[in-house]
Amino acid sequence: MNLLTREYGFFALGLIAAVWFFVGYPSQDPRTVINLSQDKQEVRQKAEQQFEDWGYPEQNFKKIITYRSNHSLLDSLQKKLGRSDFVKQFRSRQVPNIKPFYWSVVFSPTSSESDKIVISAGSDSESQEGPPRDEHIILHLDKDGKVIEFLNPSGIMPLQSMNRSALAAVFETSRDSIKALLSSYPDSVILDEFVIDLQQNTQSPGNTTGRPAFLKEKINKGQKYLLSRRDIFEMASYYLENTGWDLSAFEPDTIRLNRVNGTNAASAVYAMKEASMEQQLKLEVGLTAAGGLVHIDANYNPDAVKSDSNTDLWRLFQNIFIFLFALGGIILFFFRIRSRAIDTQPALIVSILCGLAVSTLVVLFVLSLNDFVLSDGDWTRNMMVFVGAGIAGALASLAFFIFFAIGDSITRQYWPQKLEMYDYIRQGMLFNKPVGLMLVRSVLLGFILAGLWTLLLWIFPHLYMSFENIFTHERAAWPPLHLVLNDGLYAFGVVLAIFLVLGGQVQGYWKNKTVTSSILVLACGIIVPMTGNYGPVLQQFIVSLVIGLGLVLIYLRWDFLTLFFSYFMFLGLMDTVSGWIVTNSMDGYIFIMLMVLMGGFLVGGFLAIAKGKEQKVLSRYVPPYVEELAQEQRIKQELQIAREVQQSFLPAQTPEFEHFELAGICKPAYETGGDYYDFMQLDDKRVAVAIGDVSGKGIQAAFYMTFIKGILHSLCREIDSPAEILKKTNRLFCDNAQRGTFISLVYGIIDLEEQTFRFARAGHNPIIRMNAGDDKVDELQPNGIGLGLTKSKAFDDNIEELELNLAQEDVLVLYTDGIVEALNEAHVFYGSTRLNSKLRNNKQRTAAEILKEISEDVRSFIGDAKQHDDMTMVVMKCKRN
């Protein structure tokens, strides 16, 4: 196999990291202490039996069984003992009354039985109302299947309101005889005979043999038996004796009176005598006066501060960072799409796939809930779930479309080599050496990241891990598919947002890999590139920075897809560790399937390396929008060259004379235009002036105007008559120009000595003359039709030549229709009236000043409206001697 030496070394490093991970990790994860000595079926049977014993008919309840952790207790143990010491102590011995992991069995009443359950609670009117549909009871059982909590947040009362065994416990050594006595009476007789009165001492006689007779006398006479504080604790002890708690470690603490669904009840609280593993514990047992059990709650560290201000502030900062990042991404997307620097086709494909993945994750999660599956034909609610999944998928699609589009665009512009593997796969080139190496590297880098994570856990023994759902198997239906989709989306989202979008933009701005790498590592530290919750904040941030550094080094050395698959493998290893560090784990098959997937990557990679094409023979991919932009850039450059060439055809300098002023300006609507003006020095006493406008705009118009310039320059010194020049020009233009193209033109000759202007007009705008002696503005329109309209004698017959005698301070103005037809935002023309008025008010100024004033007035009139036609003007003025 043709592998480079460094690849062999890299392969060896990956194997070492894998061995280190499998050897070193178990001693650092708190879940290592879990031992599933009982399966779900055994737990279900024990929970149902206990449920029945306490007066709750289990057949009226649906059950959901999961294995969970008391995350607040687990966090406290790791904080106070250190994570590694906690694992060491729990693996070496059984610690009584400290139960960070437990089975959770949720009993939810069926819709047909829920009203019946609550109505039986008693005769109080409050209990007659039907319960809300979300009522439930939760049993927590330890690893041995013993109950440690009986949570009853809705206050559901047992169908068997009286528990004679619990009442008999009040009488200590006379329990059996008292139970037999109570069994001789129906519930209706003795149900209301027991009343809680904490102010009373115990009423039973001191001698054991007299207690049954004493109680019988009370019942027969209809007298209330007052239960004292000691009696309540005796009943509570009766229930706790059958649980997983070591009651010898507790002592009675307090009793609180309350009402549950209209029934008088009391809560007996036990406190731990001495802290165990620096943890305090209080047990609270809720009881009715008739001995019925309402709840058993275990509260670790009840006096501890529940919230961590540093953690809350850090999460707030993370949310603000994510919000600002998302907002910036949306803004960047609109800028990119305006410049058409977006490849929408792959972004659309990726967004659809990611949207489907999100919808599938939602559906898989919902399908895992027994409450959904056993919803008694509530198809309306079920359909709403699927609609919600569709909406979630649509929103995810939109987000992935935006960020993949800008990530691809930015990275392709500033860091294109990071998309090399992606481009190969996009072109369907899967079986080649570069892709094979990427697959092998991804698996090895996944183990290297896992080994790095294990090393960090050893370095930071007080970094605590917080779990609630222990096993991937219980998070959703079809757990392997859920794992692949969940970790794939998470890895893709982080790589896309941080590395492609942020990394590409920073690299484009700074063009410095050191700066880019630093910002990427910092972003990883903020986002936290590991699944799960960790603390404290400072250690979490440091560990995230180190993992982020590992991800950044992968990205710098290789590419986007190598980073994505490596990160995905790392997340998969982290999410399936419960499959091999937990004895009898229910995630074992998920871990095996991950190993099969990684093995598939390795086999496919080695086959591609051995038989695939070399990198040097693979073609490079250029997205269509890049080619289009490159072509547009070439066109822009060519148009700019054409503009510069056309501008060079205009007079570089305006001729200056002692007693005559000339000024001219030409503003094309586009890069090039069809307007033209020129000054041609014929001799010391004469100068020719021309202004023209080709039909149309752009390159074609500029070409024809350049052609006209050449004709005029070749004829102006051979023919003295302006009319004859236009006739000759028309014949040459018709012989060479495309049919349908015409030009309006004015050509005239200024005689500086005689102070005359002799000109002819070929269908052009009027020539404006302003005499110095009055305010009159004359518009001169001698006969003439446009060049190119006809080659016949009609053109020659319609050309008229005029000669004007000019006095001192007289002004002549030539212009194209782009001046008077300039439109403002209200679609109003500038017009000849405004032009004439402006000229009249400024005729005392020099030619250059008049031209500047008109130009600024037209620009002010147009405002923000787009110039739609070329604008050209020439001003001539006789100066005062």
Side-chain angles (χ1 to χ4, degrees):
M1 191 175 294
N2 186 23
L3 284 174
L4 299 175
T5 304
R6 62 182 182 182
E7 297 296 342
Y8 281 118
F10 179 74
F11 189 80
L13 178 61
L15 290 179
I16 294 172
V19 172
W20 162 243
F21 170 65
F22 285 115
V23 172
Y25 187 84
S27 63
Q28 301 301 314
D29 193 314
R31 289 171 292 184
T32 309
V33 305
I34 299 174
N35 184 352
L36 297 184
S37 56
Q38 306 198 25
D39 60 23
K40 282 191 175 183
Q41 187 59 35
E42 293 174 312
V43 171
R44 175 190 290 270
Q45 292 174 356
K46 291 185 177 181
E48 290 175 349
Q49 182 61 50
Q50 192 66 75
F51 207 61
E52 287 278 359
D53 291 346
W54 287 343
Y56 294 85
E58 60 85 14
Q59 65 271 16
N60 294 335
F61 291 81
K62 298 173 291 186
K63 298 92 179 177
I64 302 175
I65 304 175
T66 55
Y67 196 84
R68 304 173 69 85
S69 73
N70 186 329
H71 59 87
S72 60
L73 170 61
L74 190 60
D75 292 352
S76 177
L77 288 167
Q78 294 178 85
K79 290 176 185 177
K80 294 181 178 180
L81 301 178
R83 185 195 63 261
S84 57
D85 286 345
F86 158 75
V87 173
K88 187 182 300 183
Q89 291 189 38
F90 261 76
R91 292 176 73 178
S92 62
R93 63 188 179 93
Q94 181 68 30
V95 183
N97 297 322
I98 302 296
K99 303 181 183 296
F101 301 102
Y102 57 85
W103 288 100
S104 174
V105 184
V106 179
F107 290 81
S108 297
T110 60
S111 58
S112 61
E113 297 291 339
S114 56
D115 291 341
K116 185 189 305 182
I117 293 171
V118 177
I119 288 173
S120 68
S123 60
D124 194 286
S125 60
E126 297 178 20
S127 66
Q128 302 302 315
E129 299 180 2
R133 290 293 304 273
D134 62 348
E135 288 187 342
H136 57 273
I137 295 175
I138 305 174
L139 262 66
H140 290 169
L141 291 80
D142 62 15
K143 68 180 185 64
D144 297 321
K146 293 184 177 180
V147 175
I148 55 176
E149 283 191 288
F150 180 77
L151 305 179
N152 189 3
S154 302
I156 297 175
M157 301 299 289
L159 282 179
Q160 299 175 8
S161 302
M162 172 169 286
N163 190 319
R164 290 172 172 79
S165 297
L167 285 173
V170 171
F171 297 89
E172 299 181 6
T173 56
S174 305
R175 290 185 182 185
D176 294 338
S177 57
I178 294 296
K179 182 178 180 180
L181 172 64
L182 293 175
S183 299
S184 66
Y185 292 95
D187 289 357
S188 58
V189 174
I190 60 175
L191 182 63
D192 297 325
E193 297 302 316
F194 291 88
V195 178
I196 299 173
D197 187 353
L198 301 183
Q199 304 300 321
Q200 296 291 327
N201 294 320
T202 181
Q203 297 184 30
S204 45
N207 59 320
T208 303
T209 57
R211 289 175 181 173
F214 174 78
L215 180 59
K216 182 176 181 180
E217 181 182 357
K218 283 276 187 182
I219 295 174
N220 292 336
K221 291 182 178 180
Q223 296 178 354
K224 305 293 184 184
Y225 187 91
L226 303 181
L227 296 171
S228 66
R229 182 178 186 276
R230 187 196 67 81
D231 296 335
I232 299 299
F233 276 114
E234 288 294 338
M235 283 196 294
S237 297
Y238 164 79
Y239 284 106
L240 292 178
E241 286 172 355
N242 298 316
T243 65
W245 301 112
D246 180 7
L247 198 56
S248 63
F250 296 87
E251 58 186 2
D253 187 34
T254 58
I255 291 180
R256 293 192 296 269
L257 297 178
N258 49 59
R259 288 175 66 81
V260 179
N261 278 330
T263 301
N264 291 326
S267 294
V269 179
Y270 288 84
M272 189 177 282
K273 296 176 183 178
E274 295 182 357
S276 176
M277 301 188 77
E278 302 186 39
Q279 306 299 312
Q280 295 289 341
L281 172 61
K282 286 189 176 181
L283 301 177
E284 181 176 328
V285 183
L287 304 163
T288 65
L293 178 66
V294 179
H295 65 85
I296 299 175
D297 295 347
N299 188 7
Y300 286 96
N301 305 309
D303 301 325
V305 178
K306 298 298 182 183
S307 61
D308 186 342
S309 58
N310 292 332
T311 302
D312 294 339
L313 288 174
W314 178 245
R315 288 175 179 169
L316 176 62
F317 174 74
Q318 287 176 312
N319 291 332
I320 293 174
F321 175 82
I322 293 172
F323 172 76
L324 293 177
F325 183 84
L327 182 62
I330 293 172
I331 295 172
L332 190 59
F333 173 76
F334 282 107
F335 277 110
R336 287 265 161 180
I337 206 167
R338 281 184 60 187
S339 60
R340 295 189 296 115
I342 293 291
D343 194 357
T344 57
Q345 183 178 1
L348 184 61
I349 294 173
V350 168
S351 66
I352 292 174
L353 293 176
C354 291
L356 290 174
V358 170
S359 297
T360 304
L361 284 175
V362 174
V363 172
L364 290 178
F365 172 74
V366 174
L367 288 177
S368 69
L369 303 177
N370 290 9
D371 187 51
F372 175 81
V373 177
L374 305 174
S375 56
D376 300 325
D378 190 355
W379 294 107
T380 301
R381 188 185 68 166
N382 295 353
M383 286 302 299
M384 290 301 295
V385 169
F386 287 105
V387 170
I391 294 174
L395 293 176
S397 291
L398 179 61
F400 277 103
F401 177 82
I402 290 174
F403 280 91
F404 187 83
I406 59 177
D408 176 86
S409 175
I410 294 171
T411 307
R412 199 171 295 282
Q413 179 179 356
Y414 299 121
W415 223 342
Q417 60 270 28
K418 299 305 172 187
L419 297 175
E420 191 175 60
M421 292 297 107
Y422 163 70
D423 288 340
Y424 286 153
I425 293 176
R426 181 175 175 178
Q427 296 178 86
M429 296 185 292
L430 301 177
F431 198 72
N432 53 71
K433 284 182 170 59
V435 172
L437 285 170
M438 179 199 69
L439 295 177
V440 174
R441 285 194 198 106
S442 298
V443 175
L444 298 177
L445 287 169
F447 277 115
I448 290 173
L449 289 172
L452 176 62
W453 172 242
T454 304
L455 179 62
L456 290 171
L457 293 179
W458 279 78
I459 295 174
F460 296 96
H462 287 275
L463 175 74
Y464 62 85
M465 302 178 177
S466 184
F467 308 100
E468 189 164 345
N469 295 314
I470 303 300
F471 296 107
T472 302
H473 173 81
E474 296 180 330
R475 295 176 188 173
W478 302 341
L481 176 61
H482 180 272
L483 175 74
V484 170
L485 294 179
N486 186 67
D487 288 350
L489 282 174
Y490 188 87
F492 186 69
V494 170
V495 172
L496 176 61
I498 294 182
F499 291 88
L500 290 189
V501 177
L502 180 62
Q505 191 67 24
V506 173
Q507 178 65 15
Y509 183 81
W510 290 99
K511 294 180 174 57
N512 186 306
K513 290 185 179 180
T514 302
V515 174
T516 302
S517 301
S518 301
I519 293 177
L520 290 179
V521 170
L522 181 61
C524 289
I526 296 173
I527 295 298
V528 184
M530 299 91 68
T531 56
N533 298 313
Y534 306 91
V537 171
L538 180 58
Q539 292 190 26
Q540 177 206 68
F541 180 65
I542 295 173
V543 168
S544 299
L545 287 178
V546 177
I547 296 295
L549 177 61
L551 297 176
V552 169
L553 291 176
I554 295 172
Y555 190 62
L556 291 176
R557 177 63 182 83
W558 289 288
D559 66 297
F560 149 63
L561 275 186
T562 301
L563 174 61
F564 165 65
F565 284 118
S566 303
Y567 188 28
F568 169 74
M569 296 298 176
F570 168 63
L571 294 178
L573 289 171
M574 292 300 97
D575 284 343
T576 58
V577 291
S578 56
W580 58 277
I581 64 172
V582 176
T583 305
N584 302 317
S585 173
M586 61 183 76
D587 279 354
Y589 73 100
I590 302 176
F591 173 71
I592 292 173
M593 294 186 74
L594 177 67
M595 292 296 101
V596 171
L597 176 63
M598 299 178 79
F601 268 59
L602 289 174
V603 171
F606 283 126
L607 286 175
I609 293 170
K611 299 182 180 181
K613 293 182 179 179
E614 296 285 349
Q615 184 173 7
K616 59 184 178 182
V617 301
L618 299 174
S619 61
R620 298 187 64 84
Y621 174 76
V622 179
Y625 82 91
V626 174
E627 294 180 344
E628 292 172 4
L629 291 175
Q631 184 177 2
E632 288 184 7
Q633 188 64 29
R634 288 194 298 270
I635 293 173
K636 286 181 180 180
Q637 292 175 352
E638 291 171 0
L639 288 174
Q640 182 61 30
I641 293 172
R643 178 184 179 89
E644 293 172 357
V645 171
Q646 186 184 24
Q647 290 294 318
S648 69
F649 289 160
L650 298 176
Q653 283 185 320
T654 301
E656 295 183 1
F657 306 101
E658 184 178 358
H659 302 300
F660 203 87
E661 294 177 343
L662 294 173
I665 189 173
C666 179
K667 291 185 176 180
Y670 305 106
E671 287 81 359
T672 58
D675 278 13
Y676 162 73
Y677 80 94
D678 207 352
F679 304 124
M680 293 159 281
Q681 187 87 34
L682 302 179
D683 52 41
D684 293 341
K685 298 178 181 180
R686 295 182 307 155
V687 60
V689 178
I691 188 170
D693 185 2
V694 180
S695 61
K697 305 174 187 68
I699 291 289
Q700 184 181 29
F703 172 79
Y704 286 123
M705 190 48 70
T706 303
F707 178 57
I708 290 297
K709 174 184 172 72
I711 294 175
L712 291 178
H713 274 259
S714 64
L715 297 178
C716 66
R717 291 176 178 82
E718 297 179 4
I719 304 174
D720 287 337
S721 168
E724 291 300 321
I725 284 183
L726 292 184
K727 293 176 185 178
K728 182 71 171 176
T729 301
N730 181 64
R731 287 192 291 271
L732 292 172
F733 185 78
C734 288
D735 289 340
N736 294 278
Q738 182 180 358
R739 185 179 180 86
T741 303
F742 65 92
I743 300 175
S744 66
L745 188 69
V746 172
Y747 177 82
I749 299 173
I750 301 169
D751 192 316
L752 301 174
E753 188 174 81
E754 299 295 332
Q755 290 193 337
T756 61
F757 179 59
R758 187 159 44 93
F759 69 97
R761 169 182 165 273
H764 197 72
N765 296 85
I767 293 89
I768 297 176
R769 176 178 181 174
M770 293 184 294
N771 295 323
D774 54 40
D775 290 336
K776 186 178 179 182
V777 176
D778 295 325
E779 293 186 348
L780 307 177
Q781 299 187 68
N783 292 333
I785 61 176
L787 303 175
L789 289 175
T790 179
K791 189 180 178 181
S792 65
K793 192 172 180 296
F795 183 89
D796 296 348
D797 293 342
N798 280 281
I799 286 293
E800 180 182 358
E801 184 173 300
L802 294 182
E803 184 174 62
L804 304 177
N805 293 316
L806 302 177
Q808 295 181 14
E809 299 297 318
D810 282 0
V811 177
L812 296 175
V813 178
L814 311 179
Y815 63 92
T816 60
D817 56 6
I819 298 291
V820 293
E821 294 178 3
L823 283 170
N824 63 12
E825 293 174 296
H827 296 279
V828 176
F829 288 113
Y830 184 78
S832 58
T833 302
R834 179 165 179 158
L835 174 63
N836 294 344
S837 175
K838 201 69 177 177
L839 289 171
R840 186 184 301 112
N841 295 334
N842 292 276
K843 70 177 184 177
Q844 301 300 327
R845 300 189 178 191
T846 65
E849 290 173 344
I850 293 172
L851 184 65
K852 181 180 179 182
E853 188 68 26
I854 297 298
S855 177
E856 290 179 352
D857 188 58
V858 173
R859 186 185 302 113
S860 175
F861 175 81
I862 294 175
D864 293 331
K866 185 178 179 180
Q867 180 183 342
H868 72 282
D869 199 2
D870 305 328
M871 295 188 294
T872 305
M873 178 177 282
V874 173
V875 179
M876 299 173 284
K877 183 174 183 179
C878 286
K879 293 195 292 188
R880 188 182 301 274
N881 292 333

